[in-house]
Amino acid sequence: MKYKYSPLNYKSDIKIFNIEDNLQSLKNYKDIIIFGTGNYGALALHALKKHNINISCFCDYNDTNCGNDFLGYKVISVNELKKSTSYTAVVIASLRFNYMSEQIKSNDNLMKFDCDFLFFELDLSKVKAFAPIDRLVWMLDSYMFAIDASKKPDVIKVKSLDVVLTEKCSLRCENCSNLMQYYEKPKDNDTKVLETSIERFMHNIDELYEARVIGGEPFLYKDISTVIKQLSNYKKCKKITIFTNGTIIPNSDTIESMKNSKVTLIISDYGKISKKITELKNLLIKMKIHFIAYDVDKWQDCAKIEFVNRTENELCSVFGNCCVNDALTLLHGKVYTCPFSANVTNLKAIPPEYYEDEFDLMKLDDDSIKRKIAKLNSGQKYLKACSFCPGRDYSVGLIEAAIQVKKPLPYKKYLNIDSSNLC
């Protein structure tokens, strides 16, 4: 098996034809602001410097960053940016480009630039970012795919699909963002239902950038190798990412199924409780299976299920800033817009009238499935389920990761809220 390891000289497979025009246009601006900090902001700054283009500052949604420095540049707030009276180029460096573009379109002085012409071909040596090179390459591929998909509305190109194998986990984390801590009787996905639903989903799209194989803990699912092999056989599925917590060594069948250039294993290293992580990494190296391991000590504080009667603008903000608003979820044969919506629905924690984003792959014909996927994939303003979500972005605060509890946590089931009174 040949494996293509991430090079320092990145080049996208997606063709960009207006690179020089965009660069020249950008150079005509006196003020250039990068909208978005984090790794994409760092990559945009790195790319601009490669072209000898200077920026004025960064802009960010996270109020805790505003007024501080990022990579040596001041960070201003979105309100400051929106009030700008000077003719300014805004380079949007985020996967949330649709929502961020909406925020600045009312100011005619602000000219938006995406980053595809900057990211298409990029020397990553000496880049000042916060993720390892392998992860940066993954992020660049993901961004290029998402931008390209947004420009082709007649083609169903799905950036990400969470394939939930099981609700069972080898850990019981108090603040799991996928809400596994609330399942009293966690169960596996029925294998036949899962195989059929994957086939029906893949049959009705044009391309899937990344299938994210998750749980719970996916290595607890006895038929995981069958799922990986099935996903690997689709030419239109470009990447398969498996997320694990470093507590389980996969069996030989699973190892064999992962010896595929499409597959990457993402390992969250929680220190002592990831008790098999050294053994797992050594095995993956020996078997030449690509993996990325992270030391994780903090999580976003986004695991509570609580009703908040938000205004429409607040709901738009919660959804627009969400880091998984472009990650469809497949759970028990149904497709959802996001993992939070999938799990609060599955847990029956919210009223049925809030289930507006789900559909059952097992019950619809192909034409209906295509329409449903296209709708969920098109970038909605918000979900009714956002009324119960604390938000999943960098403004919600950080907490200690992987705190263990002894038994499933209780949660309130909201059954008597009238959705017609929202906003």
mmCIF file with all atom_site columns, all heavy atoms in Angstrom, residues 263-283:
data_model
loop_
_atom_site.group_PDB
_atom_site.id
_atom_site.type_symbol
_atom_site.label_atom_id
_atom_site.label_alt_id
_atom_site.label_comp_id
_atom_site.label_asym_id
_atom_site.label_entity_id
_atom_site.label_seq_id
_atom_site.pdbx_PDB_ins_code
_atom_site.Cartn_x
_atom_site.Cartn_y
_atom_site.Cartn_z
_atom_site.occupancy
_atom_site.B_iso_or_equiv
_atom_site.pdbx_formal_charge
_atom_site.auth_seq_id
_atom_site.auth_comp_id
_atom_site.auth_asym_id
_atom_site.auth_atom_id
_atom_site.pdbx_PDB_model_num
ATOM 1   N N   . VAL A 1 263 ? -7.724  6.603  4.770  1.00 0.00 ? 263 VAL A N   1
ATOM 2   C CA  . VAL A 1 263 ? -8.020  6.549  6.208  1.00 0.00 ? 263 VAL A CA  1
ATOM 3   C C   . VAL A 1 263 ? -6.999  7.319  7.033  1.00 0.00 ? 263 VAL A C   1
ATOM 4   O O   . VAL A 1 263 ? -5.786  7.184  6.841  1.00 0.00 ? 263 VAL A O   1
ATOM 5   C CB  . VAL A 1 263 ? -8.084  5.083  6.695  1.00 0.00 ? 263 VAL A CB  1
ATOM 6   C CG1 . VAL A 1 263 ? -8.237  5.021  8.215  1.00 0.00 ? 263 VAL A CG1 1
ATOM 7   C CG2 . VAL A 1 263 ? -9.229  4.348  6.008  1.00 0.00 ? 263 VAL A CG2 1
ATOM 8   N N   . THR A 1 264 ? -7.510  8.120  7.957  1.00 0.00 ? 264 THR A N   1
ATOM 9   C CA  . THR A 1 264 ? -6.689  8.755  8.995  1.00 0.00 ? 264 THR A CA  1
ATOM 10  C C   . THR A 1 264 ? -7.355  8.514  10.340 1.00 0.00 ? 264 THR A C   1
ATOM 11  O O   . THR A 1 264 ? -8.575  8.638  10.474 1.00 0.00 ? 264 THR A O   1
ATOM 12  C CB  . THR A 1 264 ? -6.556  10.272 8.769  1.00 0.00 ? 264 THR A CB  1
ATOM 13  O OG1 . THR A 1 264 ? -5.859  10.513 7.548  1.00 0.00 ? 264 THR A OG1 1
ATOM 14  C CG2 . THR A 1 264 ? -5.781  10.932 9.902  1.00 0.00 ? 264 THR A CG2 1
ATOM 15  N N   . LEU A 1 265 ? -6.555  8.175  11.316 1.00 0.00 ? 265 LEU A N   1
ATOM 16  C CA  . LEU A 1 265 ? -7.049  7.985  12.682 1.00 0.00 ? 265 LEU A CA  1
ATOM 17  C C   . LEU A 1 265 ? -6.716  9.238  13.484 1.00 0.00 ? 265 LEU A C   1
ATOM 18  O O   . LEU A 1 265 ? -5.563  9.676  13.529 1.00 0.00 ? 265 LEU A O   1
ATOM 19  C CB  . LEU A 1 265 ? -6.373  6.762  13.298 1.00 0.00 ? 265 LEU A CB  1
ATOM 20  C CG  . LEU A 1 265 ? -7.052  6.091  14.493 1.00 0.00 ? 265 LEU A CG  1
ATOM 21  C CD1 . LEU A 1 265 ? -8.439  5.605  14.129 1.00 0.00 ? 265 LEU A CD1 1
ATOM 22  C CD2 . LEU A 1 265 ? -6.203  4.923  14.984 1.00 0.00 ? 265 LEU A CD2 1
ATOM 23  N N   . ILE A 1 266 ? -7.721  9.846  14.097 1.00 0.00 ? 266 ILE A N   1
ATOM 24  C CA  . ILE A 1 266 ? -7.511  10.988 14.991 1.00 0.00 ? 266 ILE A CA  1
ATOM 25  C C   . ILE A 1 266 ? -7.620  10.485 16.427 1.00 0.00 ? 266 ILE A C   1
ATOM 26  O O   . ILE A 1 266 ? -8.675  9.980  16.836 1.00 0.00 ? 266 ILE A O   1
ATOM 27  C CB  . ILE A 1 266 ? -8.545  12.109 14.749 1.00 0.00 ? 266 ILE A CB  1
ATOM 28  C CG1 . ILE A 1 266 ? -8.503  12.586 13.300 1.00 0.00 ? 266 ILE A CG1 1
ATOM 29  C CG2 . ILE A 1 266 ? -8.313  13.269 15.715 1.00 0.00 ? 266 ILE A CG2 1
ATOM 30  C CD1 . ILE A 1 266 ? -7.266  13.348 12.922 1.00 0.00 ? 266 ILE A CD1 1
ATOM 31  N N   . ILE A 1 267 ? -6.534  10.614 17.188 1.00 0.00 ? 267 ILE A N   1
ATOM 32  C CA  . ILE A 1 267 ? -6.500  10.092 18.553 1.00 0.00 ? 267 ILE A CA  1
ATOM 33  C C   . ILE A 1 267 ? -6.463  11.254 19.540 1.00 0.00 ? 267 ILE A C   1
ATOM 34  O O   . ILE A 1 267 ? -5.546  12.074 19.515 1.00 0.00 ? 267 ILE A O   1
ATOM 35  C CB  . ILE A 1 267 ? -5.269  9.202  18.784 1.00 0.00 ? 267 ILE A CB  1
ATOM 36  C CG1 . ILE A 1 267 ? -5.120  8.156  17.674 1.00 0.00 ? 267 ILE A CG1 1
ATOM 37  C CG2 . ILE A 1 267 ? -5.358  8.517  20.144 1.00 0.00 ? 267 ILE A CG2 1
ATOM 38  C CD1 . ILE A 1 267 ? -3.820  7.373  17.729 1.00 0.00 ? 267 ILE A CD1 1
ATOM 39  N N   . SER A 1 268 ? -7.469  11.317 20.397 1.00 0.00 ? 268 SER A N   1
ATOM 40  C CA  . SER A 1 268 ? -7.469  12.303 21.480 1.00 0.00 ? 268 SER A CA  1
ATOM 41  C C   . SER A 1 268 ? -6.733  11.703 22.666 1.00 0.00 ? 268 SER A C   1
ATOM 42  O O   . SER A 1 268 ? -7.137  10.659 23.188 1.00 0.00 ? 268 SER A O   1
ATOM 43  C CB  . SER A 1 268 ? -8.906  12.656 21.885 1.00 0.00 ? 268 SER A CB  1
ATOM 44  O OG  . SER A 1 268 ? -9.587  13.284 20.826 1.00 0.00 ? 268 SER A OG  1
ATOM 45  N N   . ASP A 1 269 ? -5.648  12.356 23.078 1.00 0.00 ? 269 ASP A N   1
ATOM 46  C CA  . ASP A 1 269 ? -4.826  11.868 24.182 1.00 0.00 ? 269 ASP A CA  1
ATOM 47  C C   . ASP A 1 269 ? -5.237  12.603 25.458 1.00 0.00 ? 269 ASP A C   1
ATOM 48  O O   . ASP A 1 269 ? -4.944  13.774 25.641 1.00 0.00 ? 269 ASP A O   1
ATOM 49  C CB  . ASP A 1 269 ? -3.347  12.112 23.875 1.00 0.00 ? 269 ASP A CB  1
ATOM 50  C CG  . ASP A 1 269 ? -2.423  11.511 24.932 1.00 0.00 ? 269 ASP A CG  1
ATOM 51  O OD1 . ASP A 1 269 ? -2.914  11.060 25.984 1.00 0.00 ? 269 ASP A OD1 1
ATOM 52  O OD2 . ASP A 1 269 ? -1.197  11.498 24.696 1.00 0.00 ? 269 ASP A OD2 1
ATOM 53  N N   . TYR A 1 270 ? -5.938  11.878 26.330 1.00 0.00 ? 270 TYR A N   1
ATOM 54  C CA  . TYR A 1 270 ? -6.396  12.448 27.596 1.00 0.00 ? 270 TYR A CA  1
ATOM 55  C C   . TYR A 1 270 ? -5.496  12.059 28.765 1.00 0.00 ? 270 TYR A C   1
ATOM 56  O O   . TYR A 1 270 ? -5.948  12.002 29.917 1.00 0.00 ? 270 TYR A O   1
ATOM 57  C CB  . TYR A 1 270 ? -7.836  11.995 27.877 1.00 0.00 ? 270 TYR A CB  1
ATOM 58  C CG  . TYR A 1 270 ? -8.822  12.426 26.831 1.00 0.00 ? 270 TYR A CG  1
ATOM 59  C CD1 . TYR A 1 270 ? -9.573  11.478 26.116 1.00 0.00 ? 270 TYR A CD1 1
ATOM 60  C CD2 . TYR A 1 270 ? -9.026  13.766 26.532 1.00 0.00 ? 270 TYR A CD2 1
ATOM 61  C CE1 . TYR A 1 270 ? -10.483 11.863 25.147 1.00 0.00 ? 270 TYR A CE1 1
ATOM 62  C CE2 . TYR A 1 270 ? -9.934  14.158 25.560 1.00 0.00 ? 270 TYR A CE2 1
ATOM 63  C CZ  . TYR A 1 270 ? -10.654 13.201 24.877 1.00 0.00 ? 270 TYR A CZ  1
ATOM 64  O OH  . TYR A 1 270 ? -11.561 13.590 23.915 1.00 0.00 ? 270 TYR A OH  1
ATOM 65  N N   . GLY A 1 271 ? -4.233  11.793 28.456 1.00 0.00 ? 271 GLY A N   1
ATOM 66  C CA  . GLY A 1 271 ? -3.287  11.470 29.520 1.00 0.00 ? 271 GLY A CA  1
ATOM 67  C C   . GLY A 1 271 ? -3.504  10.064 30.062 1.00 0.00 ? 271 GLY A C   1
ATOM 68  O O   . GLY A 1 271 ? -3.630  9.095  29.295 1.00 0.00 ? 271 GLY A O   1
ATOM 69  N N   . LYS A 1 272 ? -3.596  9.940  31.361 1.00 0.00 ? 272 LYS A N   1
ATOM 70  C CA  . LYS A 1 272 ? -3.656  8.622  32.008 1.00 0.00 ? 272 LYS A CA  1
ATOM 71  C C   . LYS A 1 272 ? -4.869  7.801  31.594 1.00 0.00 ? 272 LYS A C   1
ATOM 72  O O   . LYS A 1 272 ? -4.790  6.569  31.551 1.00 0.00 ? 272 LYS A O   1
ATOM 73  C CB  . LYS A 1 272 ? -3.641  8.796  33.525 1.00 0.00 ? 272 LYS A CB  1
ATOM 74  C CG  . LYS A 1 272 ? -2.309  9.299  34.083 1.00 0.00 ? 272 LYS A CG  1
ATOM 75  C CD  . LYS A 1 272 ? -2.359  9.398  35.599 1.00 0.00 ? 272 LYS A CD  1
ATOM 76  C CE  . LYS A 1 272 ? -1.014  9.889  36.144 1.00 0.00 ? 272 LYS A CE  1
ATOM 77  N NZ  . LYS A 1 272 ? -1.047  10.010 37.635 1.00 0.00 ? 272 LYS A NZ  1
ATOM 78  N N   . ILE A 1 273 ? -5.995  8.451  31.302 1.00 0.00 ? 273 ILE A N   1
ATOM 79  C CA  . ILE A 1 273 ? -7.178  7.645  30.973 1.00 0.00 ? 273 ILE A CA  1
ATOM 80  C C   . ILE A 1 273 ? -7.136  7.116  29.536 1.00 0.00 ? 273 ILE A C   1
ATOM 81  O O   . ILE A 1 273 ? -7.863  6.191  29.206 1.00 0.00 ? 273 ILE A O   1
ATOM 82  C CB  . ILE A 1 273 ? -8.492  8.408  31.236 1.00 0.00 ? 273 ILE A CB  1
ATOM 83  C CG1 . ILE A 1 273 ? -8.614  9.648  30.349 1.00 0.00 ? 273 ILE A CG1 1
ATOM 84  C CG2 . ILE A 1 273 ? -8.626  8.776  32.691 1.00 0.00 ? 273 ILE A CG2 1
ATOM 85  C CD1 . ILE A 1 273 ? -9.950  10.322 30.481 1.00 0.00 ? 273 ILE A CD1 1
ATOM 86  N N   . SER A 1 274 ? -6.273  7.672  28.699 1.00 0.00 ? 274 SER A N   1
ATOM 87  C CA  . SER A 1 274 ? -6.047  7.098  27.365 1.00 0.00 ? 274 SER A CA  1
ATOM 88  C C   . SER A 1 274 ? -4.965  6.034  27.504 1.00 0.00 ? 274 SER A C   1
ATOM 89  O O   . SER A 1 274 ? -3.860  6.147  26.969 1.00 0.00 ? 274 SER A O   1
ATOM 90  C CB  . SER A 1 274 ? -5.637  8.191  26.371 1.00 0.00 ? 274 SER A CB  1
ATOM 91  O OG  . SER A 1 274 ? -6.664  9.127  26.184 1.00 0.00 ? 274 SER A OG  1
ATOM 92  N N   . LYS A 1 275 ? -5.310  4.980  28.202 1.00 0.00 ? 275 LYS A N   1
ATOM 93  C CA  . LYS A 1 275 ? -4.313  4.028  28.712 1.00 0.00 ? 275 LYS A CA  1
ATOM 94  C C   . LYS A 1 275 ? -3.638  3.164  27.644 1.00 0.00 ? 275 LYS A C   1
ATOM 95  O O   . LYS A 1 275 ? -2.597  2.565  27.886 1.00 0.00 ? 275 LYS A O   1
ATOM 96  C CB  . LYS A 1 275 ? -4.956  3.129  29.764 1.00 0.00 ? 275 LYS A CB  1
ATOM 97  C CG  . LYS A 1 275 ? -6.212  2.424  29.298 1.00 0.00 ? 275 LYS A CG  1
ATOM 98  C CD  . LYS A 1 275 ? -6.908  1.709  30.449 1.00 0.00 ? 275 LYS A CD  1
ATOM 99  C CE  . LYS A 1 275 ? -8.211  1.070  29.976 1.00 0.00 ? 275 LYS A CE  1
ATOM 100 N NZ  . LYS A 1 275 ? -8.918  0.416  31.106 1.00 0.00 ? 275 LYS A NZ  1
ATOM 101 N N   . LYS A 1 276 ? -4.210  3.109  26.451 1.00 0.00 ? 276 LYS A N   1
ATOM 102 C CA  . LYS A 1 276 ? -3.635  2.275  25.394 1.00 0.00 ? 276 LYS A CA  1
ATOM 103 C C   . LYS A 1 276 ? -2.961  3.096  24.298 1.00 0.00 ? 276 LYS A C   1
ATOM 104 O O   . LYS A 1 276 ? -2.590  2.552  23.254 1.00 0.00 ? 276 LYS A O   1
ATOM 105 C CB  . LYS A 1 276 ? -4.738  1.419  24.758 1.00 0.00 ? 276 LYS A CB  1
ATOM 106 C CG  . LYS A 1 276 ? -5.440  0.461  25.696 1.00 0.00 ? 276 LYS A CG  1
ATOM 107 C CD  . LYS A 1 276 ? -4.596  -0.761 25.981 1.00 0.00 ? 276 LYS A CD  1
ATOM 108 C CE  . LYS A 1 276 ? -5.404  -1.806 26.750 1.00 0.00 ? 276 LYS A CE  1
ATOM 109 N NZ  . LYS A 1 276 ? -4.601  -3.034 27.006 1.00 0.00 ? 276 LYS A NZ  1
ATOM 110 N N   . ILE A 1 277 ? -2.776  4.371  24.535 1.00 0.00 ? 277 ILE A N   1
ATOM 111 C CA  . ILE A 1 277 ? -2.384  5.241  23.428 1.00 0.00 ? 277 ILE A CA  1
ATOM 112 C C   . ILE A 1 277 ? -0.979  4.939  22.907 1.00 0.00 ? 277 ILE A C   1
ATOM 113 O O   . ILE A 1 277 ? -0.752  4.943  21.696 1.00 0.00 ? 277 ILE A O   1
ATOM 114 C CB  . ILE A 1 277 ? -2.521  6.728  23.825 1.00 0.00 ? 277 ILE A CB  1
ATOM 115 C CG1 . ILE A 1 277 ? -2.450  7.599  22.572 1.00 0.00 ? 277 ILE A CG1 1
ATOM 116 C CG2 . ILE A 1 277 ? -1.488  7.154  24.858 1.00 0.00 ? 277 ILE A CG2 1
ATOM 117 C CD1 . ILE A 1 277 ? -2.979  8.993  22.760 1.00 0.00 ? 277 ILE A CD1 1
ATOM 118 N N   . THR A 1 278 ? -0.041  4.655  23.771 1.00 0.00 ? 278 THR A N   1
ATOM 119 C CA  . THR A 1 278 ? 1.319   4.346  23.310 1.00 0.00 ? 278 THR A CA  1
ATOM 120 C C   . THR A 1 278 ? 1.331   3.059  22.494 1.00 0.00 ? 278 THR A C   1
ATOM 121 O O   . THR A 1 278 ? 1.932   2.987  21.404 1.00 0.00 ? 278 THR A O   1
ATOM 122 C CB  . THR A 1 278 ? 2.279   4.220  24.498 1.00 0.00 ? 278 THR A CB  1
ATOM 123 O OG1 . THR A 1 278 ? 2.310   5.462  25.224 1.00 0.00 ? 278 THR A OG1 1
ATOM 124 C CG2 . THR A 1 278 ? 3.684   3.891  24.027 1.00 0.00 ? 278 THR A CG2 1
ATOM 125 N N   . GLU A 1 279 ? 0.648   2.036  22.996 1.00 0.00 ? 279 GLU A N   1
ATOM 126 C CA  . GLU A 1 279 ? 0.545   0.769  22.274 1.00 0.00 ? 279 GLU A CA  1
ATOM 127 C C   . GLU A 1 279 ? -0.151  0.966  20.934 1.00 0.00 ? 279 GLU A C   1
ATOM 128 O O   . GLU A 1 279 ? 0.263   0.403  19.907 1.00 0.00 ? 279 GLU A O   1
ATOM 129 C CB  . GLU A 1 279 ? -0.226  -0.238 23.128 1.00 0.00 ? 279 GLU A CB  1
ATOM 130 C CG  . GLU A 1 279 ? -0.337  -1.625 22.510 1.00 0.00 ? 279 GLU A CG  1
ATOM 131 C CD  . GLU A 1 279 ? -1.139  -2.597 23.374 1.00 0.00 ? 279 GLU A CD  1
ATOM 132 O OE1 . GLU A 1 279 ? -1.489  -2.242 24.524 1.00 0.00 ? 279 GLU A OE1 1
ATOM 133 O OE2 . GLU A 1 279 ? -1.431  -3.705 22.872 1.00 0.00 ? 279 GLU A OE2 1
ATOM 134 N N   . LEU A 1 280 ? -1.201  1.789  20.919 1.00 0.00 ? 280 LEU A N   1
ATOM 135 C CA  . LEU A 1 280 ? -1.945  2.040  19.686 1.00 0.00 ? 280 LEU A CA  1
ATOM 136 C C   . LEU A 1 280 ? -1.082  2.760  18.655 1.00 0.00 ? 280 LEU A C   1
ATOM 137 O O   . LEU A 1 280 ? -1.033  2.369  17.478 1.00 0.00 ? 280 LEU A O   1
ATOM 138 C CB  . LEU A 1 280 ? -3.198  2.858  19.997 1.00 0.00 ? 280 LEU A CB  1
ATOM 139 C CG  . LEU A 1 280 ? -4.062  3.277  18.795 1.00 0.00 ? 280 LEU A CG  1
ATOM 140 C CD1 . LEU A 1 280 ? -4.549  2.058  18.026 1.00 0.00 ? 280 LEU A CD1 1
ATOM 141 C CD2 . LEU A 1 280 ? -5.238  4.127  19.265 1.00 0.00 ? 280 LEU A CD2 1
ATOM 142 N N   . LYS A 1 281 ? -0.370  3.792  19.079 1.00 0.00 ? 281 LYS A N   1
ATOM 143 C CA  . LYS A 1 281 ? 0.474   4.537  18.143 1.00 0.00 ? 281 LYS A CA  1
ATOM 144 C C   . LYS A 1 281 ? 1.578   3.655  17.578 1.00 0.00 ? 281 LYS A C   1
ATOM 145 O O   . LYS A 1 281 ? 1.876   3.720  16.373 1.00 0.00 ? 281 LYS A O   1
ATOM 146 C CB  . LYS A 1 281 ? 1.055   5.772  18.837 1.00 0.00 ? 281 LYS A CB  1
ATOM 147 C CG  . LYS A 1 281 ? 0.026   6.859  19.093 1.00 0.00 ? 281 LYS A CG  1
ATOM 148 C CD  . LYS A 1 281 ? 0.642   8.201  19.465 1.00 0.00 ? 281 LYS A CD  1
ATOM 149 C CE  . LYS A 1 281 ? 1.235   8.209  20.831 1.00 0.00 ? 281 LYS A CE  1
ATOM 150 N NZ  . LYS A 1 281 ? 1.684   9.572  21.237 1.00 0.00 ? 281 LYS A NZ  1
ATOM 151 N N   . ASN A 1 282 ? 2.186   2.840  18.423 1.00 0.00 ? 282 ASN A N   1
ATOM 152 C CA  . ASN A 1 282 ? 3.246   1.933  17.948 1.00 0.00 ? 282 ASN A CA  1
ATOM 153 C C   . ASN A 1 282 ? 2.709   0.948  16.913 1.00 0.00 ? 282 ASN A C   1
ATOM 154 O O   . ASN A 1 282 ? 3.379   0.644  15.906 1.00 0.00 ? 282 ASN A O   1
ATOM 155 C CB  . ASN A 1 282 ? 3.866   1.177  19.120 1.00 0.00 ? 282 ASN A CB  1
ATOM 156 C CG  . ASN A 1 282 ? 4.734   2.066  19.994 1.00 0.00 ? 282 ASN A CG  1
ATOM 157 O OD1 . ASN A 1 282 ? 5.191   3.120  19.554 1.00 0.00 ? 282 ASN A OD1 1
ATOM 158 N ND2 . ASN A 1 282 ? 4.952   1.666  21.229 1.00 0.00 ? 282 ASN A ND2 1
ATOM 159 N N   . LEU A 1 283 ? 1.506   0.445  17.146 1.00 0.00 ? 283 LEU A N   1
ATOM 160 C CA  . LEU A 1 283 ? 0.891   -0.486 16.204 1.00 0.00 ? 283 LEU A CA  1
ATOM 161 C C   . LEU A 1 283 ? 0.591   0.202  14.868 1.00 0.00 ? 283 LEU A C   1
ATOM 162 O O   . LEU A 1 283 ? 0.854   -0.358 13.790 1.00 0.00 ? 283 LEU A O   1
ATOM 163 C CB  . LEU A 1 283 ? -0.401  -1.049 16.804 1.00 0.00 ? 283 LEU A CB  1
ATOM 164 C CG  . LEU A 1 283 ? -1.237  -1.970 15.904 1.00 0.00 ? 283 LEU A CG  1
ATOM 165 C CD1 . LEU A 1 283 ? -0.448  -3.212 15.509 1.00 0.00 ? 283 LEU A CD1 1
ATOM 166 C CD2 . LEU A 1 283 ? -2.548  -2.362 16.591 1.00 0.00 ? 283 LEU A CD2 1
#
